[in-house]
Amino acid sequence: MPTEILMPALSPTMEEGTLAKWLVKEGDAVKSGDILAEIETDKATMEFEAVDEGTVGKILVAEGTAGVKVNTPIAVLLDEGESASDIGSAPAPKAEAAAPAKAEAAAPAAAAAAPAPAAPKAADGNRVFASPLARRIAAEKGIDLAGVTGSGPHGRIVKADVEGAKPGAAKPAAAAEPQKAAAAPAAAAPAGLSAETVLKMYADRETTELALDGMRRTIAARLTEAKQTIPHFYLRRSAKLDELMKFRAMLNKQLESRGVKLSVNDFIIKACALALQEVPDANAVWAGDRILKLKPSDVAVAVAVEGGLFTPVLKDAQQKTLSALSAEMKDLANRAKTKKLAPHEYQGGSFAISNLGMFGIENFDAVINPPHGAILAVGAGIQTPVVENGEVVIRNVMSMTLSVDHRVIDGALGAQLLDAIVKHLENPMGMLA
């Protein structure tokens, strides 16, 4: 029976994507692990691997098609002994300008192939990743996929895994439906002005309309969610950078022969990583109905790219040297700008840094990136008169604002975290200990 190849979820937050390029054509034989296509998510362009072997019988979604929903059939794979006549003659949809139309166009073509059973879920509610063929065989044999260990890419369950599994009572998918129906509907979020209303307001003005790409839509959705659901509060401190600037200059001179040049941002990353270890209760994220405390300091850093931003994560930052953090940050930033980051490189972390000091911004308030517990907004270092020992002196002062999720971190705890960050920045030599 022909097997549908579905639009994959290449990250936990992916809901739709663009089928940028097919790397196979109809009639090509493929095996597990072969690259089938390049798919653009909201953040990156990624390769999509085959999880079953067979022959590409029909391509249902043309390359260049945007707005393809996850789990939409994009091609049909034929097993040994099957031919294109087993699929049907429904035409494949063509790429069009409107994203919703493309997603809908895939449905008629997909109807010709036998539909795969719905993606199963484990007892903890997490989705079980299995190929369409594996799901179909499991349904026929009465095998519960939640108890099968996958041997395919990233632990995906493939045909060979279910063929050797013992039949058991499959959990009825419909059992979860009453719970969904019983859940009280969430209160509708306040909506802004409609597109029609705004267009009418500016009907007599010269304008240029820009369609939202996947990245912009994701940024809009996540930051709207953040401001509507996260109870932000803000803590402000300044740090004197004179000692840090001297120490940085000395280190850069010593590291010049190795081609290493440390930035002020590298010191800020290290200071935050160490502070999270010293104030471990602040190294936490909001997880819906609980708080998750992290042991390592996984620090995300906002990187501006064309059309939006990424927040690549420097994992175990507390253990890394300044030169190692500097090299890793440069690599992540360069690949972020070309959209070559893998999802695991920009997801996770408990804390983020957003630095606009290089643009001359003196201070600002950053929006927390859920599920993080806090984000540090960093401004420029400014020559400022400061009173020390009864005398006025000029110091290089940097303003910082810590935006905090009050569900995760209370005021006193946030103050302790910010104080620890300031102490490290003002005593930079201690960061090498």
Side-chain angles (χ1 to χ4, degrees), residues 30-399:
V30 298
K31 61 182 183 299
S32 179
D34 286 351
I35 306 301
L36 300 179
E38 292 180 355
I39 293 174
E40 293 179 8
T41 69
D42 55 337
K43 294 284 189 180
T45 299
M46 303 182 65
E47 294 177 335
F48 173 39
E49 295 181 1
V51 293
D52 289 308
E53 61 182 29
T55 302
V56 180
K58 193 176 187 65
I59 289 176
L60 303 176
V61 176
E63 63 179 42
T65 303
V68 183
K69 300 292 185 183
V70 168
N71 288 332
T72 296
I74 58 175
V76 178
L77 191 67
L78 301 176
D79 208 346
E80 187 177 352
E82 295 176 338
S83 66
S85 60
D86 296 320
I87 301 172
S89 56
K94 296 181 179 179
E96 297 174 14
K102 292 177 189 140
E104 293 171 5
K121 293 192 175 183
D124 58 3
N126 292 328
R127 179 183 171 190
V128 174
F129 288 93
S131 71
L133 180 57
R135 291 203 302 270
R136 186 175 296 117
I137 294 172
E140 291 171 355
K141 290 188 173 184
I143 295 171
D144 180 8
L145 288 178
V148 178
T149 301
S151 62
H154 309 295
R156 192 178 181 109
I157 298 170
V158 296
K159 176 183 175 183
D161 300 322
V162 292
E163 284 183 333
K166 294 181 180 179
K171 296 177 183 178
E177 294 304 318
Q179 294 179 347
K180 292 180 182 177
L193 296 175
S194 68
E196 281 187 17
T197 301
V198 175
L199 288 172
K200 286 179 182 177
M201 287 171 61
Y202 295 92
D204 61 340
R205 311 306 299 160
E206 183 178 350
T207 60
T208 301
E209 189 171 319
L210 304 176
L212 298 180
D213 60 13
M215 178 180 287
R216 201 74 242 166
R217 284 198 299 271
T218 298
I219 291 172
R222 286 180 65 79
L223 295 189
T224 299
E225 172 198 350
K227 291 300 287 185
Q228 289 179 342
T229 64
I230 298 176
H232 287 64
F233 72 92
Y234 307 94
L235 301 172
R236 310 181 201 282
R237 283 285 300 269
S238 294
K240 290 180 281 190
L241 297 184
D242 300 85
E243 291 301 317
L244 188 151
M245 300 304 287
K246 292 176 187 176
F247 188 54
R248 171 176 171 260
M250 182 188 73
L251 287 178
N252 280 339
K253 189 172 182 180
Q254 295 175 352
L255 296 169
E256 189 175 3
S257 61
R258 291 166 46 188
V260 176
K261 186 176 183 180
L262 302 176
S263 69
V264 173
N265 210 48
D266 298 329
F267 284 88
I268 295 171
I269 294 168
K270 183 69 172 180
C272 292
L274 294 174
L276 289 168
Q277 293 297 303
E278 294 165 7
V279 190
D281 287 345
N283 190 17
V285 299
W286 179 252
D289 62 351
R290 67 201 69 187
I291 293 171
L292 293 183
K293 287 176 60 177
L294 277 71
K295 288 186 178 179
S297 294
D298 296 344
V299 179
V301 181
V303 175
V305 301
E306 185 177 355
L309 76 159
F310 278 94
T311 51
V313 180
L314 296 120
K315 295 182 178 177
D316 301 298
Q318 81 282 2
Q319 297 177 354
K320 296 174 180 175
T321 64
L322 285 163
S323 58
L325 288 172
S326 180
E328 185 177 353
M329 190 65 240
K330 286 183 176 70
D331 173 61
L332 290 170
N334 288 335
R335 289 191 290 117
K337 289 172 183 176
T338 56
K339 297 187 177 181
K340 296 298 183 182
L341 290 178
H344 72 270
E345 293 178 306
Y346 58 80
Q347 291 171 352
S350 65
F351 183 91
I353 298 168
S354 181
N355 189 343
L356 294 179
M358 65 284 292
F359 299 107
I361 301 301
E362 296 184 17
N363 55 70
F364 67 104
D365 299 341
V367 180
I368 295 170
N369 184 27
H372 291 176
I375 182 170
L376 184 71
V378 180
I382 305 292
Q383 293 288 306
T384 307
V386 176
V387 177
E388 292 182 358
N389 299 321
E391 296 183 358
V392 177
V393 295
I394 303 299
R395 295 289 184 235
N396 194 343
V397 178
M398 181 178 72
S399 173

